Amino acid sequence: MKGDDCKMSYVKRTAENSVAKIVAERLGMTLQELEREVLGKSRHTLPIQGMKEAADLFWEMKDGPIRVYGDYDDDGIQACAILDIGFKSLGIKNVTITVPRRFSDGYGVKPSNVTDMKSGLLITVDNGIAANEAITKAKENGVKVIVLDHHQARILDEKVFLPDADVIVDPHVTGGEFDDYCGGGLAYRFMLEVFKTKQCPKNVNDVLSTMISMAAIATVGDHVSILSDNRFMVRKGLEMMKHRKVSTGLSLLLDVMGLEGDITATDIALAPAINAFGRLEDKGSRKVESLVCYTGRPTKNVMRAAEIVKQKNQERKDFSSRSTNLAFELIEKSGQADKSVIVVQNDNFHPGLCGIIASNLTEQYRVPCIVFSKADNGIYVGSGRSRDWCNLKESLDACSDLLWQYGGHPAACGLSVKAEELDSFREKIQSVVKKVEEADSDIIYYDIDGDISSVKTLYCDLKKYGPYGVGNEEPIIRFKNLRLIANDYGEKSKTMGDVGQHIRLFADGMELSWFEKSGGTVAYKELGEPDVVDVIGTLSLNTYKGKSKLSFKVIAME
């Protein structure tokens, strides 16, 4: 139950109750293959087309100048940091790392970013596959170009238009045994190939452990699949982070974010925190890249920089919460709550948070939502998020006559519109998109029937066969007739959050956390605060100040 009157049905997805068998089935492996994989005995560095040529070109152009152009999001930041650390470890000095500013520069390398280059090597990472004009300009100036990207190339009338780069490494375009890398993963594999081709740094193990940790953070944060080569990078990166075999800056960031002990892929979903700085400050992404690349001793300034990242994340949460609540009010007042698309604008919305606000609105109203912030020179700039039944990019195509600029894909978009055209755009897109009513589901699926008497063994199995994420989701566990008990202080329950909206409960061998989003304190009270419950959720280990406890995150309870 989630705090309402509906009766939920719990349905087991498979007859298996073994973590190993469930994971093996998801990964398409036999149990023997899975065991070899978790022991590190299976092949994991799969060949990537173009990577050898890219490494060869790098060594040819090593004397520079070399310019790396990345992206302002978590994946782009980690990718730039990997190349930054890798090049420095080789003593390559004539290198410029450019992490673009979210607002001033926007996404992707542009002709203006390469006009001053008259020779040398340009490496685009986490962008570039669609930057045809910029790369053509660089080539005209006599610059060699390597593209390390995982996005789609330009397509017009079903024809693919690739940039005129010397080497393109983009598995989505060039193909390969595995194609779902993120920018950080490709940057890591590029540096591996660079080391393999000619020269390794003296401290190669330290460098590799830091770089693979960054690749793991990027892989999880960019929501690519945790399969094949990605699964290896995330598992190895988690191990390095646990033992703090990472850069000083990344280690301090993990510390301030409270990540210690058995760190999981869920724990290193640091993307919102890393992105927050760039969302709130134009140069914020550059500051985060400088922090995670820092390898010196932990000075007060560096520790303060890590604290600021955490602080900016909290500011982002606060801004987003207030803005989302304001958006709810505006939607109700404007009568848009039942429309097929919601378009809302307010000068108080932070331009870097429009996407987050749109995502929150889309989840609440179950229709596509577009959010605009304050006008800049008479132009509103915004972001949109969609539902599975609406291709947002195609919907914008139908309204292109009213838009200043736009781009995106079926699930998300960025766009701008003249202030005087906003109302017309709202009316047109609401007429273009036909609303699809989404039925409420009263079924919750789970994977494993848990036994509280063997909960520690269950956790060990979950840990052994992880990491979990896209393509191999974390197993959902059900405990039937679970008896709740008082903790060591005699407390049967403990509320959490600013206004006690979340609740912590206790069972023999683990704590249960039920957050407001799935029920929380209100839902538990509506159940009558029972001593015996039927509960579904996920199991993990929570470590705080060196003390570890099994923690169960509640999805539903009856």
Side-chain angles (χ1 to χ4, degrees), residues 517-556:
K517 189 173 182 179
S518 60
T521 304
V522 171
Y524 183 63
K525 289 182 177 179
E526 288 178 352
L527 288 174
E529 302 182 76
D531 293 327
V532 178
V533 295
D534 189 348
V535 64
I536 282 182
T538 56
L539 184 65
S540 62
L541 188 70
N542 182 34
T543 301
Y544 181 68
K545 293 184 177 180
K547 294 184 178 180
S548 299
K549 293 181 179 179
L550 288 177
S551 178
F552 191 79
K553 183 179 179 181
V554 176
I555 295 173

Side-chain angles (χ1 to χ4, degrees), residues 219-239:
T219 298
V220 173
D222 219 46
H223 302 288
V224 292
S225 60
I226 312 297
L227 302 171
S228 189
D229 205 1
N230 286 349
R231 182 169 157 86
F232 167 77
M233 285 190 285
V234 173
R235 178 188 289 115
K236 196 68 176 177
L238 290 171
E239 181 184 340

Side-chain angles (χ1 to χ4, degrees), residues 350-413:
H350 193 289
L353 301 179
C354 287
I356 295 175
I357 300 166
S359 180
N360 293 338
L361 298 179
T362 298
E363 184 175 346
Q364 175 68 25
Y365 291 100
R366 300 184 181 183
V367 297
C369 294
I370 297 172
V371 177
F372 291 101
S373 60
K374 186 177 181 179
D376 182 13
N377 293 322
I379 303 292
Y380 289 127
V381 178
S383 294
R385 298 293 183 269
S386 193
R387 306 292 287 182
D388 290 342
W389 49 265
C390 175
N391 186 316
L392 195 52
K393 171 63 166 55
E394 291 182 356
S395 301
L396 293 181
D397 288 340
C399 304
S400 59
D401 58 313
L402 294 172
L403 295 173
W404 181 256
Q405 288 181 322
Y406 72 98
H409 50 81
C413 72

Side-chain angles (χ1 to χ4, degrees), residues 30-81:
T30 65
L31 286 175
Q32 291 77 14
E33 289 171 337
L34 179 62
E35 292 297 337
R36 285 182 57 80
E37 191 243 25
V38 299
L39 292 173
K41 295 181 178 180
S42 60
R43 191 165 65 113
H44 48 75
T45 50
L46 302 175
I48 299 176
Q49 189 168 330
M51 199 64 86
K52 178 65 167 62
E53 292 79 1
D56 288 340
L57 181 56
F58 165 78
W59 281 115
E60 179 186 330
M61 304 297 296
K62 67 180 177 61
D63 294 328
I66 298 173
R67 180 174 297 178
V68 174
Y69 198 95
D71 188 22
Y72 49 70
D73 71 352
D74 168 59
D75 187 21
I77 290 169
Q78 302 302 330
C80 284

Side-chain angles (χ1 to χ4, degrees), residues 57-358:
L57 181 56
F58 165 78
W59 281 115
E60 179 186 330
M61 304 297 296
K62 67 180 177 61
D63 294 328
I66 298 173
R67 180 174 297 178
V68 174
Y69 198 95
D71 188 22
Y72 49 70
D73 71 352
D74 168 59
D75 187 21
I77 290 169
Q78 302 302 330
C80 284
I82 288 167
L83 299 184
D84 198 346
I85 286 177
F87 293 161
K88 285 176 180 174
S89 74
L90 293 169
I92 308 294
K93 296 180 179 179
N94 197 2
V95 178
T96 302
I97 305 289
T98 302
V99 178
R101 298 164 296 184
R102 180 181 288 267
F103 308 116
S104 300
D105 300 317
Y107 173 77
V109 65
K110 300 172 180 63
S112 59
N113 302 128
V114 300
T115 301
D116 62 323
M117 292 188 74
K118 304 303 179 184
S119 63
L121 175 65
L122 170 67
I123 302 175
T124 68
V125 62
D126 198 31
N127 77 105
I129 196 64
N132 299 44
E133 294 83 1
I135 291 173
T136 296
K137 180 65 177 177
K139 293 293 293 177
E140 289 174 350
N141 287 0
V143 177
K144 299 288 187 179
V145 182
I146 296 172
V147 171
L148 300 174
D149 201 358
H150 68 115
H151 295 97
Q152 298 291 340
R154 287 188 182 178
I155 300 176
L156 182 62
D157 295 329
E158 299 183 357
K159 183 178 180 181
V160 177
F161 291 86
L162 295 176
D164 186 28
D166 294 272
V167 182
I168 292 176
V169 180
D170 185 336
H172 285 298
V173 173
T174 56
E177 290 187 47
F178 179 69
D179 64 6
D180 204 20
Y181 297 93
C182 66
L186 290 174
Y188 171 74
R189 287 297 307 276
F190 172 70
M191 289 311 309
L192 275 185
E193 194 66 39
V194 165
F195 293 165
K196 174 185 173 183
T197 300
K198 192 168 183 179
Q199 175 186 339
C200 286
K202 293 179 180 179
N203 59 335
V204 62
N205 290 333
D206 292 339
V207 173
L208 288 174
S209 60
T210 288
M211 292 196 305
I212 202 168
S213 298
M214 293 173 171
I217 293 170
T219 298
V220 173
D222 219 46
H223 302 288
V224 292
S225 60
I226 312 297
L227 302 171
S228 189
D229 205 1
N230 286 349
R231 182 169 157 86
F232 167 77
M233 285 190 285
V234 173
R235 178 188 289 115
K236 196 68 176 177
L238 290 171
E239 181 184 340
M240 296 301 103
M241 282 182 270
K242 175 182 178 179
H243 298 292
R244 293 301 192 263
K245 293 181 179 180
V246 296
S247 68
T248 308
L250 180 54
S251 179
L252 290 172
L253 182 58
L254 294 170
D255 288 344
V256 300
M257 298 302 293
L259 299 180
E260 55 181 307
D262 288 341
I263 302 174
T264 68
T266 303
D267 293 330
I268 64 164
L270 290 171
I274 290 171
N275 287 335
F277 213 152
R279 289 184 182 277
L280 298 179
E281 289 188 17
D282 205 21
K283 295 182 179 180
S285 297
R286 295 180 176 180
K287 294 178 181 179
V288 177
E289 194 268 345
S290 296
L291 169 64
V292 297
C293 280
Y294 180 75
T295 57
R297 63 186 186 87
T299 64
K300 288 184 179 179
N301 285 341
V302 181
M303 288 188 276
R304 175 59 182 154
E307 290 285 355
I308 290 175
V309 173
K310 181 180 180 181
Q311 174 187 323
K312 292 296 180 181
N313 189 44
Q314 188 58 52
E315 289 179 20
R316 186 266 308 172
K317 291 180 180 178
D318 294 342
F319 269 126
S320 299
S321 178
R322 291 197 299 270
S323 297
T324 299
N325 288 334
L326 172 59
F328 287 151
E329 295 177 11
L330 295 173
I331 290 165
E332 297 301 324
K333 288 180 180 178
S334 63
Q336 292 192 75
D338 61 347
K339 298 295 184 181
S340 62
V341 180
I342 291 172
V343 180
V344 63
Q345 184 279 327
N346 191 271
D347 288 354
N348 291 317
F349 294 154
H350 193 289
L353 301 179
C354 287
I356 295 175
I357 300 166

